Amino acid sequence: MKEAIEQLSTRHLLGIKDLNANDIQLILETAQTFKDVLNRPIKKVPSLRDITIANIFFENSTRTRLSFELAEKRLSADIVNFSASSSSVSKGETLIDTVNNILAMKVDMVVLRHPYPGAGVFLKNHIGAQIVNAGDGAHEHPTQALLDSFSIIEKLGEIRGKKIAIIGDILHSRVALSNILCLKKLGAEIMVCGPTTLIPKYIKSLGVKVEHNLLNALNWCDVANMLRIQLERQDISYFPSLREYSMLYGLNKQILDSLNKEIIIMHPGPINRGVEITSDVADSKHSIILDQVENGVAVRMAVLYLLAAQRG
């Protein structure tokens, strides 16, 4: 692969808020090149052969962790995997001590998932390695937003002027915030939809529309991104029951067929089938959920490759 002529404006990927529109465009264009690589018989390139990357996950993750790990392997990087559940963190070791011990093994880049918002920013101020935020609490999940944008462009040709509805638990979702920031920078119109209790009060300050009726949101949008209910982050009850939530905000085939147009269905996963989305919708021709998973590897390859060019 050719060396990138352009460079990102940042050494780290801590959140979409730190990227400008040119950064996002560069990542998406580079991801397209890597997607072409992934469709070749030999799917590996030597771009990060001398780079060591530590995947440090303080929260459970399957899809994001596997996606990053595969992206790193496709780029020929050396990988160190760290899981907090089987580490000295359970014995009281601090985040800085944990990371510094890993960095003492000459690690160049850290992919970090942490339950606390701002964990990546905190680390950046204390260590020298580059940091990629793989999700920090209910704050941001930048690579998910980038792969979602890539998937929309792949399906619709462009994002500018498109109407994207983000539906579900907006209050606790890092995917929602990163998607709003990313899609707005690319020129999309955004609407959030969900119960009043799951829509944060600050949301209108981000320049998005707010809707509480699912059918209105679906009739308005070109793309519906269905979010799962984040029960693990809810310390109080935000709605009477999952059954009632599903009746008001769950997307099924009957609702989809009643629309006067075709829309694209997305979901960041994992899916709660039968709650926010039914199986016949998730597995339908409207859904690009598996495309999102596939595109995640190419987008994360692009992020790691472009950040590695900023080392020094």
Side-chain angles (χ1 to χ4, degrees), residues 12-14 27 38 48 52-57 61-81 109-114 130-136 140-147 174 292-305 307:
H12 310 273
L13 179 58
L14 301 173
I27 291 169
L38 292 174
L48 299 190
T52 302
I53 302 174
N55 299 310
I56 305 180
F57 279 62
S61 168
T62 301
R63 296 168 337 282
T64 301
R65 183 169 186 160
L66 286 176
S67 184
F68 266 109
E69 193 171 332
L70 189 55
E72 291 152 9
K73 287 179 176 176
R74 294 288 187 245
L75 290 166
S76 304
D78 293 321
I79 304 169
V80 177
N81 285 319
M109 200 178 291
V110 170
V111 176
L112 178 70
R113 169 165 288 192
H114 202 279
Q130 291 175 286
I131 298 168
V132 179
N133 178 8
D136 58 335
E140 277 221 50
H141 193 354
T143 56
Q144 181 68 47
L146 290 163
L147 74 88
R174 53 190 168 214
Q292 291 172 264
V293 176
E294 180 185 351
N295 291 336
V297 178
V299 167
R300 289 172 175 124
M301 286 174 75
V303 166
L304 296 168
Y305 171 76
L307 287 177

Side-chain angles (χ1 to χ4, degrees), residues 173-227:
S173 174
R174 53 190 168 214
V175 173
L177 180 58
S178 286
N179 260 280
I180 288 168
L181 296 174
C182 190
L183 292 166
K184 288 283 290 180
K185 288 180 181 182
L186 293 172
E189 291 183 61
I190 310 295
M191 174 184 285
V192 295
C193 175
T196 305
T197 51
L198 291 177
I199 305 289
K201 290 182 171 62
Y202 67 80
I203 202 75
K204 284 188 178 178
S205 69
L206 298 178
V208 305
K209 301 175 190 293
V210 176
E211 176 59 63
H212 300 294
N213 182 287
L214 176 63
L215 210 52
N216 289 346
L218 295 174
N219 276 311
W220 174 83
C221 72
D222 301 304
V223 179
N225 197 344
M226 308 299 297
L227 305 180

Side-chain angles (χ1 to χ4, degrees), residues 5 25 52 71 94 126 143 193 248 262-263 300:
I5 297 170
Q25 206 61 50
T52 302
T94 67
H126 289 85
T143 56
C193 175
L248 291 173
E262 286 202 358
I263 62 172
R300 289 172 175 124

Side-chain angles (χ1 to χ4, degrees), residues 83-101:
S83 174
S85 60
S86 58
S87 74
S88 297
V89 171
S90 57
K91 302 173 187 173
E93 186 171 82
T94 67
L95 172 60
I96 292 178
D97 285 338
T98 298
V99 175
N100 275 332
N101 278 310

Side-chain angles (χ1 to χ4, degrees), residues 9-294:
S9 63
T10 175
R11 284 189 72 246
H12 310 273
L13 179 58
L14 301 173
I16 296 294
K17 64 181 180 298
D18 300 322
L19 301 178
N20 58 45
N22 288 336
D23 290 328
I24 295 170
Q25 206 61 50
L26 178 58
I27 291 169
L28 299 182
E29 287 170 6
T30 308
Q32 183 57 62
T33 304
F34 281 124
K35 182 155 187 185
D36 295 341
V37 169
L38 292 174
N39 287 319
R40 297 189 322 212
I42 299 174
K43 300 173 175 62
K44 206 164 185 177
V45 289
S47 306
L48 299 190
R49 185 177 283 158
D50 300 322
I51 306 290
T52 302
I53 302 174
N55 299 310
I56 305 180
F57 279 62
F58 287 83
E59 279 185 330
N60 291 331
S61 168
T62 301
R63 296 168 337 282
T64 301
R65 183 169 186 160
L66 286 176
S67 184
F68 266 109
E69 193 171 332
L70 189 55
E72 291 152 9
K73 287 179 176 176
R74 294 288 187 245
L75 290 166
S76 304
D78 293 321
I79 304 169
V80 177
N81 285 319
F82 173 90
S83 174
S85 60
S86 58
S87 74
S88 297
V89 171
S90 57
K91 302 173 187 173
E93 186 171 82
T94 67
L95 172 60
I96 292 178
D97 285 338
T98 298
V99 175
N100 275 332
N101 278 310
I102 292 168
L103 292 181
M105 304 171 198
K106 306 302 179 189
V107 167
D108 303 294
M109 200 178 291
V110 170
V111 176
L112 178 70
R113 169 165 288 192
H114 202 279
Y116 295 139
V121 177
F122 173 75
L123 261 194
K124 182 197 76 168
N125 296 329
H126 289 85
I127 67 172
Q130 291 175 286
I131 298 168
V132 179
N133 178 8
D136 58 335
H139 180 224
E140 277 221 50
H141 193 354
T143 56
Q144 181 68 47
L146 290 163
L147 74 88
D148 287 347
S149 298
F150 184 90
S151 301
I152 293 170
I153 292 170
E154 191 174 60
K155 195 72 176 176
L156 297 181
E158 63 176 340
I159 285 180
R160 183 163 299 281
K162 299 298 187 239
K163 296 178 177 179
I164 320 291
I166 303 173
I167 299 164
D169 186 357
I170 311 298
L171 183 63
H172 301 97
S173 174
R174 53 190 168 214
V175 173
L177 180 58
S178 286
N179 260 280
I180 288 168
L181 296 174
C182 190
L183 292 166
K184 288 283 290 180
K185 288 180 181 182
L186 293 172
E189 291 183 61
I190 310 295
M191 174 184 285
V192 295
C193 175
T196 305
T197 51
L198 291 177
I199 305 289
K201 290 182 171 62
Y202 67 80
I203 202 75
K204 284 188 178 178
S205 69
L206 298 178
V208 305
K209 301 175 190 293
V210 176
E211 176 59 63
H212 300 294
N213 182 287
L214 176 63
L215 210 52
N216 289 346
L218 295 174
N219 276 311
W220 174 83
C221 72
D222 301 304
V223 179
N225 197 344
M226 308 299 297
L227 305 180
R228 73 182 177 90
I229 297 296
Q230 309 261 333
L231 292 173
E232 72 276 14
R233 296 201 184 103
Q234 297 183 10
D235 48 358
I236 61 172
S237 182
Y238 288 84
F239 46 83
S241 68
L242 281 178
R243 183 174 177 273
E244 181 163 331
Y245 175 87
S246 184
M247 287 173 63
L248 291 173
Y249 295 101
L251 179 56
N252 58 45
K253 196 70 164 58
Q254 186 179 353
I255 293 173
L256 204 54
D257 291 341
S258 73
L259 303 178
N260 56 10
K261 59 179 180 178
E262 286 202 358
I263 62 172
I264 292 166
I265 306 301
M266 306 178 72
H267 195 300
I271 302 171
N272 290 321
R273 290 175 182 257
V275 179
E276 72 273 4
I277 190 170
T278 57
S279 289
D280 52 6
V281 172
D283 303 328
S284 71
K285 63 184 175 65
H286 302 277
S287 166
I288 60 168
I289 295 170
L290 291 180
D291 296 313
Q292 291 172 264
V293 176
E294 180 185 351

